[in-house]
Structure formats: structure tokens, C-alpha cells
Amino acid sequence: MIASCLCYLLLPAARLFRALSDAFFTCRKNALLAKSSSSQVEGDFAMAPRGPDQEECEGLLQQWREEGSSQMLSTASEGSLIDKGLAQSSLALLMDNPREENAASEDKWSSRQLSDLRAAENLDEPFPEMLEEEPLPEVEDSMWAAIPMQTDPQYADCVVLPVGALSTEDPAVVAWSIAPEPLPQEEAPIWPFEGLGQLQPPPVEIPYHEILWREWEDFSTQPDAQGLEAGDGPQFQFTLMSYNILAQDLMQQSSELYLHCHPDILNWNYRFVNLMQEFQHWDPDILCLQEVQEDHYWEQLEPSLRMMGFTCFYKRRTGCKTDGCAVCYKPTRFRLLCASPVEYFRPGLELLNRDNVGLVLLLQPLVPEGLGQVSVAPLCVANTHILYNPRRGDVKLAQMAILLAEVDKVARLSDGSHCPIVLCGDLNSVPDSPLYNFIRDGELQYHGMPAWKVSGQEDFSYQLYQRKLQAPLWPSSLGITDCCQYVTSCHPKRSEKRKYGRDFLLRFRFCSIACQRPVGLVLMEGVTDTKPERPAGWAESVLEEDTSELEPAFPRTVGTIQHCLHLTSVYTHFLPQRGCPEVTTMPLGLGTTVDYIFFSAESYENGNRTDHRLYQDGTLKLLGRLSLLSEEILWAANGLPNPFCSSDHLCLLASFGMEVTAP
């Protein structure tokens, strides 16, 4: 009988102890998560626990009030020390909205438990003597205090962490760094809880300016293939940046690609400030942008860039697209000679039914007056964003051919040569792909090649039915030769033969065809019924030009396309110090390179043959570049975009020098 009574007395006490223990350790877990700087951890693990049934909770609370908390705690547990105030608040929380599963109740649960835990930690009085145990030692809570959130007025719609003390003196880098500085490892406190071992605090994030540090690689003092340094003679030096800034509309249409990002850093107002800080920090003379949303360009980007001293040109994509390409230059360094927008859409051609565009500018460098009577060759700058679809390599090649034809026309000089060229943009092709090799080597044999293989982005070799490239790649009606030149540029004299002037018609006076009766001529008495007789002095000579049938507008090669612009890449696409490839973007967490800056250079002989992959400086010299990063480093910063870089691409920056010659 006595044993039965003891069981009935101990059963409620055990249930209450389990409830208090669950609530207490849930408070500890939420406190740990509140000190972590990762928003993803909070979203994944800060979940409210399930409370007991309503009737059981009411019974436990009533029994607590009647019998007293000291007797139940001493009966249920002999080794654990729990603060009375914490126990009462945790039990009261069990009575608030049990089994409620909406997000509001979960947030309320977590916030109330965290506030109760902080109140218990900050109690000045020792634990009650009724527990008959020694109080817990005090623990320093400086590392575990919740990080205060503060709002910067220049970040309108987002909350950032305090900058803290940074080791760098660069104001632009300081403005980009929003994570607190890590504390020394030996100062990390340890929470001694009996039966749980020692819990280490979560690691503090490294500041972003230390993770995403990009070095400037200087080539100005390195000798070229001829043994001459780049700075030997007078030069006109300038910097050029190429940057896909991620249009806001495109980001919202593909929101599944940015689930790893906190919503605040995806806000356009936050991203716009970061982008402008990058432009101001690197201060390029020429700025080539892709994925520029039209309303953002006219309302914010163009006015801000104009205040920074740029003159801007913009070309929106055709159709219903809302983004496009922009090229901006400083009028204090260049004078505009011509601007040519390029549209790849051609009505009626299935090969060219996409809305991508490009922009080609011809700029004249302005030489300072102190150098006297000197001149610099014009500079052709081309910017584009090629189709993304990895399966349509035929479309990519056709779009690139149109751009190269426009560059050939704009950059062609009177003697048939080309002025220096810089071609940049998002080409949606990886290094050493057929499209990349075509731009660099100037030739591609495409006949029979699978269309997916052109850009090298994805491998679709497993598909049974693959689209293969057929010759000719584009129809003659496009007006572009297989050498990526406009027909009028290649054969300027051919169009003159079709001008029927007086001199051209007089050539037919003594030809045999003039004495032949035309086919289908209506017979009219006295008018067309007579046959002309050949005069005595007429000769049966034939015209020097063959007028029987005009040959095709231009000859077509079989399965091969070419260009003669002699382009090479600014970047090598490999990091020798790390032994891994460079990346410019990270779609779905996979690092790859699709952004490029190509510039005109001269190929030189390697042994007894000309190797198109080896170049020497020509009129345009590469003086330096901003290093790219590896996939591993970008993963450490939570990929792209992140609070430091507000685009899903990295910017490319290069410095060039142009020869200054006397007239």
C-alpha cells in the first residue's frame, strides 16, 4: 500500500521534471543559436518544442502551487541545479498556446524563452538555499551577448551588423565589411553543465574583406616577347571594367538560385549602394555592364555614373526584355567617334530569334597637351551578353559572328588593318570551349559538332537525339561571310557593277546579245517583226565581265568560320598559386568562368610555325589585372551574391597601355 502511494506521488514529479528539462535545454539551444551570425542556422534549427496536453499542464501547475517547488525539485532531481525563476517561467511557457503550429507562435516561444534565460543569467542574488546545493559559478557572457542590430541610413531596406575595428585603411573595403572581428580562441568561454560535457561556442565569421581579398597583378615592369618592358616608351594608359551586375527582374524570376542568400542582401537598394562603391573604389576609365535593368539604369545608375564623370550608352534587349548592356567612358580621357548598337534578332530566321544585344563604341584617346604633337590610334570597345541556353551553341556562334562583323566594320582603318580592340562581356561559355577557342584562335571547324558542345557549360552526350551543326551555319541572306565580315565590307567593288550608268550601258553597243530576239517578245507588225542586221563593222566580241549570270554574293566555306581580329584573353583562367581554376560566377554553387575581357594582340612564330595561342604586345599592351578567386574562397563567403559582392558574378578589371606616336 505504501509503495503504491509513493508511485502515485513520484509520477507527477517525474513528468514535471521532464517538462522542465526540455524547456531548459531548449532555452540553451536557442541562446546558442542567437549568438551565431548565420541566418540559415536560425531558420533551420530555431524551432519551438511541442508542449504536453492542456489538461496535463494545468494539473502540473496546480500541483506545483499546492505542494511547493522545493519539495518536487528535490524529489525529482538530485544532481541538476535549476534556477527557480527559470523553472517557473519555463513552466508558464508550457501553458501558452500548446500545439499551435503557426510561425507567429514559434517566434513568440523562442523570444520569450531567450528573454527568460537572459533574466536568469543576470540575477544578482545567488540560487535559493532551499535547493541545498552550491550555486553555479558565474560565467562571463561577453561572447554570448546577442549582437545588436543597427541600421545604416545608406542601406535603406536592410539591417547590417556593426563594422567593428578593421585592420585595413581602405575606406571602400571598410564600407563593404559588415561582419564583426573574431575574438581570440583562448577567450572563448565554456559552459559547465553536469552530464553534458563542455560546449564550445560557435565560430565567429571571418570579415568578408579578408575572405574576398583580390590582388592587383602588375605586368608593367615585365618584359614582353621581344625583351622590352611595357613602360619603355610614352603610353596612353587606361583601365577597363566588365561586370554583370545581375538585373533585379532576372533575379526575381530565378529566385530558386538565390535561396542561400539572406533576403536583405538581395534588396536592390542594398545592392545598388554596394555596386556604386565598387565602381568608385576601382574607378575605371571605361565601364562595360551587362544585365542592366532599364528602369534602374535611367533612374539610378546613369545619373549616379554621370556624377562620377561618365558618359553612358545603353542598349536594351529586344522584345519584352527589361535588361540590356551599357558602355560608359570618361569624356576627360576619350572622345566618342561612333556608337553602334547590335541586335542579334532577325525576323524570319529561326537561328536568330533571340533578343540578346551588344554595343560597339569607337573612342579616340585624348592625349595631354604637355606631350606636344602626338597621336594615339582609336580604340574599339565591344560589350555583349550572349545567349545562356547551353543546348543552342549554333545560336551562340551566330550571335558572336554578328558582333565580330560589327567590330570589323567599326575598327577597320583606311589601309585595311584594324585599330586596337577590347571585346568583353558575359559570353556564357567556359574556357577552352569551341566558342572560346574560336574567339582566341580565329578559326573553328564546326560541321557535325553537337550544339551543346559549343559553349562547354553542360554535358548532354547522354541524349539520344542531339542537335548537330550543319554547314552553312547561317544563310547568305544574313549578309555576313564565313570570315565574320559584312559583305559590303569584303566586296566594295561588286556593288558598283550593278549601277547602270551611261558608261556601263555603252559597253553593250557591239555585243552579240543585242542582235538576239528576246524570249517572249510580243510580235507587232512594223515594230518587233524585224530582225536587226549586224553592221559591217561590228565584231562578235564578248564583254570582259561575265554578264550571263551573276555569281553568289560571296563564297562560302564548308563547315569553317574565321575572323582576323587577333584577340587573346586578359585572364589565364587558372590560379597557379592555389592550383585550381579561376571562377567568375557560381550558378547553383558550382564555380565556373563565363565572363571575359579579350584584347587585340599580335601572334608570333613559335619555331617554324605560327602558333595562334602565343601572342606578343602590339599597339595595345596589357599592364595589369585584378585577380580572380577560386570556388573554395567564394564558398567561404557563402557563394554569390553575398554581403560583400552584390552580384552573382565577379567584376573583371584590366589596365592597358597604347603607343603614343608622332605625326
Side-chain angles (χ1 to χ4, degrees):
M1 183 65 179
I2 296 176
S4 301
C5 294
L6 290 176
C7 291
Y8 280 100
L9 289 175
L10 293 177
L11 180 60
R15 291 180 178 175
L16 178 60
F17 174 70
R18 286 198 304 269
L20 292 176
S21 300
D22 293 341
F24 177 73
F25 290 116
T26 304
C27 290
R28 288 199 52 226
K29 183 178 68 174
N30 291 340
L32 291 176
L33 294 174
K35 296 159 186 64
S36 176
S37 58
S38 174
S39 60
Q40 290 181 338
V41 175
E42 296 176 0
D44 293 339
F45 299 100
M47 304 295 293
R50 299 289 183 182
D53 295 337
Q54 183 72 15
E55 296 180 358
E56 185 178 358
C57 290
E58 293 177 357
L60 292 175
L61 182 60
Q62 183 66 22
Q63 191 170 2
W64 170 273
R65 293 173 179 174
E66 293 177 355
E67 299 181 4
S69 59
S70 61
Q71 180 180 358
M72 296 187 64
L73 285 175
S74 60
T75 304
S77 175
E78 298 181 359
S80 301
L81 296 179
I82 303 176
D83 185 18
K84 176 180 178 181
L86 175 61
Q88 291 177 345
S89 61
S90 301
L91 183 60
L93 285 175
L94 292 176
M95 305 298 299
D96 292 342
N97 299 328
R99 298 188 181 277
E100 186 172 349
E101 298 181 0
N102 54 39
S105 65
E106 293 179 359
D107 295 339
K108 179 180 178 181
W109 178 282
S110 302
S111 61
R112 291 188 59 177
Q113 282 188 336
L114 183 58
S115 62
D116 291 338
L117 180 61
R118 290 174 181 168
E121 291 176 352
N122 296 328
L123 289 177
D124 296 330
E125 300 180 0
F127 288 101
E129 297 179 358
M130 59 186 301
L131 298 178
E132 300 180 358
E133 295 285 349
E134 296 182 2
L136 285 173
E138 296 183 359
V139 181
E140 297 180 1
D141 58 348
S142 59
M143 185 67 181
W144 298 95
I147 299 175
M149 305 301 290
Q150 51 181 308
T151 304
D152 196 335
Q154 63 179 339
Y155 299 95
D157 296 334
C158 58
V159 179
V160 297
L161 300 177
V163 175
L166 299 177
S167 59
T168 179
E169 299 180 357
D170 194 337
V173 173
V174 172
W176 294 339
S177 305
I178 66 173
E181 190 176 29
L183 294 179
Q185 186 67 26
E186 59 272 13
E187 298 182 5
I190 299 176
W191 283 22
F193 281 95
E194 191 171 333
L196 294 179
Q198 295 181 347
L199 297 179
Q200 296 290 342
V204 181
E205 290 185 359
I206 302 175
Y208 282 104
H209 76 278
E210 296 182 5
I211 297 177
L212 299 180
W213 184 259
R214 301 177 62 182
E215 298 179 353
W216 179 259
E217 302 176 3
D218 188 8
F219 304 142
S220 59
T221 59
Q222 297 181 3
D224 57 11
Q226 297 177 351
L228 301 177
E229 292 186 357
D232 287 346
Q235 289 183 334
F236 176 84
Q237 299 184 8
F238 66 95
T239 56
L240 182 144
M241 174 184 284
S242 178
Y243 202 175
N244 183 327
I245 63 173
L246 179 59
Q248 194 74 9
D249 286 350
L250 299 180
M251 182 189 68
Q252 295 173 357
Q253 293 172 10
S254 304
S255 58
E256 68 278 0
L257 300 177
Y258 311 100
L259 297 178
H260 64 285
C261 302
H262 193 279
D264 288 344
I265 70 172
L266 297 180
N267 184 280
W268 168 247
N269 292 330
Y270 179 90
R271 297 177 54 232
F272 171 72
V273 173
N274 265 9
L275 292 172
M276 295 306 301
Q277 287 180 348
E278 284 194 75
F279 300 155
Q280 187 175 9
H281 175 70
W282 299 118
D283 192 26
D285 298 310
I286 302 175
L287 184 61
C288 299
L289 304 177
Q290 306 91 39
E291 287 194 21
V292 182
Q293 192 166 311
E294 186 176 26
D295 57 342
H296 291 163
Y297 171 79
W298 294 113
E299 295 173 6
Q300 294 175 285
L301 284 169
E302 195 276 338
S304 301
L305 291 173
R306 188 173 357 106
M307 293 179 61
M308 292 174 58
F310 286 97
T311 298
C312 305
F313 286 84
Y314 178 75
K315 174 59 181 175
R316 183 180 64 86
R317 284 201 289 169
T318 55
C320 300
K321 304 300 186 295
T322 60
D323 67 290
C325 297
V327 176
C328 312
Y329 68 94
K330 290 186 176 180
T332 57
R333 306 295 314 280
F334 298 93
R335 175 171 57 89
L336 179 67
L337 299 180
C338 71
S340 300
V342 182
E343 296 181 357
Y344 301 138
F345 178 79
R346 294 292 189 274
L349 289 182
E350 192 269 339
L351 180 66
L352 294 168
N353 59 357
R354 307 305 172 95
D355 296 313
N356 303 84
V357 296
L359 198 57
V360 181
L361 268 64
L362 187 63
L363 303 174
Q364 177 62 52
L366 300 179
V367 181
E369 297 180 355
L371 295 180
Q373 297 294 330
V374 295
S375 62
V376 182
L379 175 68
C380 179
V381 178
N383 181 30
T384 188
H385 189 182
I386 297 299
L387 176 71
Y388 165 75
N389 191 344
R391 297 178 177 87
R392 296 306 306 271
D394 52 343
V395 178
K396 297 173 186 280
L397 286 176
Q399 291 181 350
M400 182 54 61
I402 295 176
L403 180 68
L404 294 176
E406 189 68 26
V407 171
D408 175 83
K409 183 186 72 173
V410 172
R412 184 178 293 273
L413 302 176
S414 57
D415 59 354
S417 61
H418 296 90
C419 66
I421 300 168
V422 177
L423 189 154
C424 57
D426 184 350
L427 305 184
N428 277 314
S429 302
V430 301
D432 291 327
S433 63
L435 178 59
Y436 174 89
N437 293 333
F438 168 61
I439 299 174
R440 185 190 59 181
D441 300 339
E443 183 176 354
L444 175 64
Q445 296 181 0
Y446 64 87
H447 183 68
M449 178 184 298
W452 60 264
K453 201 172 183 178
V454 170
S455 62
Q457 295 166 284
E458 298 182 33
D459 187 357
F460 296 99
S461 58
Y462 59 88
Q463 295 183 351
L464 297 178
Y465 302 98
Q466 303 176 11
R467 180 193 298 265
K468 294 187 177 181
L469 306 184
Q470 302 295 328
L473 187 59
W474 56 79
S476 301
S477 58
L478 187 60
I480 296 178
T481 67
D482 290 330
C483 293
C484 297
Q485 296 176 330
Y486 288 120
V487 176
T488 54
S489 301
C490 302
H491 308 284
K493 297 181 180 180
R494 185 173 297 278
S495 59
E496 298 178 359
K497 298 180 180 179
R498 302 182 182 181
K499 297 179 180 179
Y500 298 99
R502 180 175 182 276
D503 295 337
F504 178 76
L505 294 176
L506 286 178
R507 299 177 184 177
F508 295 93
R509 288 183 300 174
F510 306 118
C511 64
S512 301
I513 194 66
C515 299
Q516 296 180 5
R517 183 181 181 87
V519 178
L521 182 64
V522 179
L523 182 61
M524 298 178 59
E525 187 177 355
V527 179
T528 62
D529 58 346
T530 59
K531 182 178 180 181
E533 297 180 357
R534 183 183 303 276
W538 281 23
E540 299 183 3
S541 60
V542 182
L543 293 178
E544 296 180 0
E545 295 82 7
D546 185 11
T547 59
S548 59
E549 184 178 357
L550 294 177
E551 59 182 352
F554 57 91
R556 304 297 301 269
T557 56
V558 180
T560 303
I561 54 177
Q562 299 174 331
H563 72 83
C564 57
L565 300 181
H566 305 292
L567 301 175
T568 189
S569 176
V570 166
Y571 290 90
T572 60
H573 319 303
F574 190 78
L575 298 171
Q577 66 275 17
R578 292 184 174 270
C580 57
E582 302 171 333
V583 300
T584 64
T585 184
M586 290 187 66
L588 298 175
L590 300 177
T592 185
T593 294
V594 296
D595 305 275
Y596 302 94
I597 298 179
F598 290 95
F599 69 101
S600 57
E602 298 178 1
S603 59
Y604 65 92
E605 294 185 357
N606 181 20
N608 297 326
R609 62 185 183 88
T610 300
D611 190 346
H612 294 285
R613 298 190 178 188
L614 300 178
Y615 294 90
Q616 62 185 2
D617 289 332
T619 307
L620 194 62
K621 298 179 175 61
L622 178 63
L623 302 181
R625 66 190 178 200
L626 183 64
S627 65
L628 289 173
L629 301 175
S630 64
E631 180 180 349
E632 179 184 2
I633 294 178
L634 291 177
W635 263 116
N638 199 30
L640 295 172
N642 53 56
F644 179 83
C645 179
S646 287
S647 174
D648 57 350
H649 293 247
L650 294 176
C651 69
L652 278 62
L653 183 68
S655 174
F656 298 95
M658 300 178 64
E659 294 180 354
V660 177
T661 59

